[in-house]
Amino acid sequence: MTQDHRFDVWAPHARKVTVRIDGVDHPMQGLGDRPGWWTLPDDADVPRGTVRYGYLLTKVFDEGTDKERTSVSEVLPDPRSRRQPQGVHDLSCTFDPDAFEWHDAAWRPRPLRDSVLYELHPGTFTPEGTLDAAIGKLDHLVDLGVDAVELLPVNGFNGDHNWGYDGVAWYTVDESYGGPEAYQRFVDACHTKGIAVIQDVVYNHLGPSGNYLPLFAEYFKPGASSWGDLINLDGWGSDGVREYILDNITMWLREYHVDGFRLDAVHALADSRATHILEQIAQRIAAESERTGKELVAIAESDLNDPRMIAGTEGHGLGMDAQWLDDVHHAAHVAFTGETHGYYGDFASLHALEKTMHTAYFHNGTYSTFRGRSHGREIDPAEQRPWQFVTFLQNHDQVGNRAAGDRMNHGMSVDRAIAAATWLLTQPYTPMLFMGEEFGASTPWQFFTAHPEPDLGEAVAAGRKAEFAAMAWDHATVPDPQDPQTFERSKLDWGEVREGEHQRILDAYRELIALRHDTPELTDQNWATVATQASDSEQWFVLKRMSEPESEHGVVVAVNLSDSERELPLMGGDAPRVLFASGTDPDITTTPGAVRLAPETAVVLRV
């Protein structure tokens, strides 16, 4: 009989480990070539196929001492469990990822530099809230023209529903979404439709309920971030913790065929080792890219404004392919909504939006009033490329972390919402939509939890209200995250997609995405081919995407943000041709070197 490695577990300080499989206890032994790992003996008589199991640890000692830390008598779920059918507190369940029949052998994702992304939360994307139900909406995304979906975290969490950032079982797909087989079906269906899948993963913290990792090893270290206890990336026993993260990356790539990752809040990864964990993640993904011939990507969420994040590891950068760019969001949000409270204050001028079209980071060594200090550093245009910055008008954070979870379009006219979309889908960076944005969804997307523990639920609700003090939002508008209706209100209403103004918005997004795909200037990667002008007094913004530096010819995007008709400069070129117009009246009046636009409208012209 060969050794059964399905139940191997890392518990470096345990003196005895037992695995209970379908109610029968099996003593484990040390895995000789992997210190701290436990395995079943060769002669262990364990059932094959799908089984339920868990671990019993006894006499667990503190690192480097003979002091007993704990003696665990209850059965614990597997830290690398592929399934938790009855929740994160219960027994684990085996899952054979190789049993699925894939149909994507020839699949190759579109390069990120040419892509439009679409962020979605599986639980609120459809009424059913499952990955199988989401498959039924893929034709909508194909018709829209998006190239990749970015899934919010799907790993196991406690409770019936969650944003996903309270996950505690990193190797699972939560059963509420359909479990691991449903995830495989979803990815396979996406690839069949020509859509890549980017998975949001959270390696900077774990949720507050169901986290059993500290009973197995030193997964945490002293200190905390805004999101919770610090992951032990550089202290005693951190080799095993890093392996836990890196093997998780490999799992998603090989067992689930994902095309890349969005890494949550990487600035909260406190790592002082010579090789940062992000570098190792980048190297692991690059190795898989080489093995498969697929262009796989890593996108970081980072507020550091540090170009080292997206610099190659060969030059001692952190190796991320791209990063979310909040500065551009903030500048665009202020431009289209007029809100200037909290962290929006630094972006009050349209010249903030203008600056970010050339420098990516608005704060690139400048003073940030929200932080009370200078922040960021300049990019190197010779090293960084525009496609490496993912930009958006809305995302789960910027909608869900508003007091009422209101979407950007809820406070503006349809004309203005389409003008904003015109900017998003013609600006130099990689654009991303948030689910429902493309048809001006009337539903909010609010912060929701379903913690079974009453004390934890009350603490989350109270903390939620306290978070909004700096943004000057009314506490009375903050919904109770624990109220099931908060979750239900956040589900998209697909019945409104083809109705009235929703249809008009959807048609505009579809046309703009097609225009981006078909117009080389709109995905050009030369910073020198971007020109801008803006006026605070008259409230207009003009972006020009030239065919070559200092050319009179190219594509001009003119946006009138005022409530009056305005004349906007074309920045060179004769006899402009309309490629897209956002207003209800398609007639566009041009004069030599200028275009007249109705209030709250935008136009894309070839000059």
Side-chain angles (χ1 to χ4, degrees):
M1 181 182 293
T2 58
Q3 219 163 35
D4 189 340
H5 290 291
R6 290 180 298 161
F7 306 102
D8 290 359
V9 65
W10 184 56
H13 306 304
R15 294 296 183 265
K16 179 182 177 182
V17 179
T18 300
V19 59
R20 182 171 293 169
I21 304 172
D22 281 353
V24 178
D25 288 353
H26 299 269
M28 304 187 78
Q29 64 185 23
L31 192 56
D33 58 344
R34 300 183 70 188
W37 280 84
W38 297 78
T39 192
L40 285 169
D42 287 344
D43 59 355
D45 185 16
V46 299
R48 308 302 299 176
T50 302
V51 297
R52 301 292 298 278
Y53 69 101
Y55 299 101
L56 295 96
L57 311 180
T58 57
K59 293 186 177 179
V60 182
F61 289 77
D62 279 332
E63 69 276 5
T65 76
D66 290 327
K67 181 181 178 182
E68 186 173 319
R69 171 156 48 94
T70 184
S71 182
V72 181
S73 58
E74 73 265 27
V75 182
L76 302 174
D78 185 357
R80 295 182 179 229
S81 170
R82 296 305 200 269
R83 280 197 67 197
Q84 291 296 127
Q86 292 178 295
V88 296
H89 293 291
D90 212 285
L91 290 172
S92 298
C93 182
T94 54
F95 168 70
D96 180 8
D98 296 328
F100 185 76
E101 183 180 351
W102 291 92
H103 304 89
D104 65 349
W107 162 254
R108 295 296 180 270
R110 189 172 190 154
L112 189 60
R113 61 183 172 272
D114 298 325
S115 295
V116 175
L117 310 184
Y118 186 96
E119 187 186 34
L120 69 85
H121 174 261
T124 51
F125 184 57
T126 65
E128 300 86 351
T130 66
L131 290 161
D132 284 321
I135 292 173
K137 298 299 182 185
L138 291 183
D139 285 342
H140 167 82
L141 299 183
V142 171
D143 184 57
L144 179 61
V146 299
D147 306 290
V149 293
E150 186 174 300
L151 285 177
L152 267 66
V154 298
N155 47 216
F157 50 78
N158 195 26
D160 295 329
H161 50 260
N162 196 279
W163 273 20
Y165 297 93
D166 285 331
V168 292
W170 287 358
Y171 281 71
T172 66
V173 175
D174 197 80
E175 293 294 310
S176 66
Y177 300 147
E181 290 184 32
Y183 192 95
Q184 290 178 319
R185 290 192 293 270
F186 177 78
V187 175
D188 197 48
C190 283
H191 290 172
T192 300
K193 300 285 187 180
I195 298 173
V197 177
I198 296 172
Q199 181 57 58
D200 193 337
V201 289
V202 184
Y203 297 136
N204 61 73
H205 76 284
L206 283 95
S209 179
N211 172 20
Y212 295 99
L213 292 183
L215 299 177
F216 286 87
E218 286 73 44
Y219 281 90
F220 298 91
K221 65 182 181 181
S225 70
S226 302
W227 293 271
D229 295 337
L230 294 178
I231 303 296
N232 177 23
L233 298 171
D234 51 9
W236 181 287
S238 60
D239 283 357
V241 179
R242 296 166 83 96
E243 183 180 28
Y244 185 67
I245 292 172
L246 295 172
D247 288 351
N248 188 251
I249 289 286
T250 298
M251 179 201 76
W252 288 114
L253 293 171
R254 294 192 175 182
E255 297 180 15
Y256 296 106
H257 292 201
V258 303
D259 303 290
F261 302 90
R262 182 263 190 188
L263 293 111
D264 182 63
V266 297
H267 42 276
L269 296 171
D271 183 6
S272 63
R273 289 174 64 159
T275 302
H276 196 280
I277 185 64
L278 290 179
E279 293 181 66
Q280 290 188 291
I281 289 172
Q283 290 161 356
R284 184 68 63 99
I285 295 171
E288 194 67 12
S289 288
E290 184 174 356
R291 187 185 75 84
T292 61
K294 299 176 183 178
E295 193 169 322
L296 308 171
V297 298
I299 304 170
E301 180 200 15
S302 171
D303 73 352
L304 300 177
N305 285 16
D306 186 348
R308 286 176 293 189
M309 184 63 62
I310 53 175
T313 56
E314 68 281 357
H316 302 292
L318 294 177
M320 298 291 98
D321 297 291
Q323 70 152 99
W324 276 22
L325 188 53
D326 279 350
D327 279 14
V328 167
H329 166 269
H330 298 345
H333 185 88
V334 172
F336 288 101
T337 70
E339 293 184 9
T340 56
H341 46 254
Y343 51 70
Y344 293 134
D346 288 344
F347 304 86
S349 170
L350 280 172
H351 296 293
L353 184 60
E354 185 179 14
K355 175 184 177 179
T356 60
M357 295 297 94
H358 303 277
T359 63
Y361 305 132
F362 177 74
H363 286 303
N364 53 0
T366 58
Y367 187 80
S368 165
T369 59
F370 186 74
R371 297 176 178 87
R373 60 170 175 79
S374 58
H375 185 67
R377 65 187 297 177
E378 293 184 356
I379 64 167
D380 181 351
E383 295 294 330
Q384 282 78 53
R385 292 289 180 262
W387 69 266
Q388 293 184 279
F389 299 95
V390 175
T391 50
F392 31 80
L393 289 165
Q394 305 179 51
N395 64 36
H396 77 274
D397 274 331
Q398 302 301 337
V399 175
N401 283 327
R402 294 176 65 81
D406 50 313
R407 295 169 176 269
M408 189 179 187
N409 57 286
H410 290 176
M412 62 179 62
S413 68
V414 171
D415 279 346
R416 197 172 188 87
I418 296 176
T422 305
W423 164 82
L424 175 67
L425 292 163
T426 56
Q427 45 84 45
Y429 310 116
T430 298
M432 184 180 76
L433 315 182
F434 181 58
M435 61 177 198
E437 172 187 339
E438 76 277 11
F439 59 87
S442 66
T443 50
W445 201 74
Q446 299 174 330
F447 181 70
F448 46 80
T449 55
H451 298 302
E453 305 89 342
D455 290 349
L456 178 57
E458 291 174 9
V460 169
R464 189 71 179 164
K465 291 180 180 291
E467 286 179 20
F468 297 130
M471 298 301 288
W473 284 323
D474 183 1
H475 285 186
T477 66
V478 181
D480 180 1
Q482 289 283 106
D483 183 349
Q485 286 305 307
T486 304
F487 172 63
E488 292 298 325
R489 277 193 301 270
S490 299
K491 293 188 176 187
L492 291 179
D493 178 4
W494 287 94
E496 62 187 22
V497 173
R498 301 294 180 184
E499 295 178 351
E501 300 289 24
H502 296 291
Q503 176 73 63
R504 183 181 159 214
I505 294 172
L506 179 60
D507 289 345
Y509 269 88
R510 186 189 299 113
E511 188 174 346
L512 285 163
I513 291 172
L515 181 65
R516 184 177 184 89
H517 283 150
D518 296 340
T519 308
E521 289 95 336
L522 297 183
T523 52
D524 185 82
Q525 295 301 305
N526 187 344
W527 296 92
T529 59
V530 177
T532 56
Q533 288 186 33
S535 170
D536 278 331
S537 61
E538 294 197 345
Q539 283 291 288
W540 53 256
F541 178 82
V542 178
L543 168 68
K544 186 174 183 181
R545 310 296 304 279
M546 294 172 282
S547 54
E548 57 185 34
E550 300 183 4
S551 172
E552 287 192 351
H553 302 289
V555 174
V556 170
V557 184
V559 184
N560 180 8
L561 293 155
S562 77
D563 57 5
S564 301
E565 187 177 83
R566 293 281 189 250
E567 186 173 89
L568 285 67
L570 291 179
M571 291 190 285
D574 298 320
R577 177 166 59 91
V578 176
L579 300 179
F580 175 84
S582 73
T584 54
D585 184 355
D587 292 334
I588 301 297
T589 302
T590 59
T591 58
V595 59
R596 294 195 68 83
L597 291 182
E600 300 188 317
T601 62
V603 65
V604 184
L605 301 166
R606 179 166 291 286
V607 298

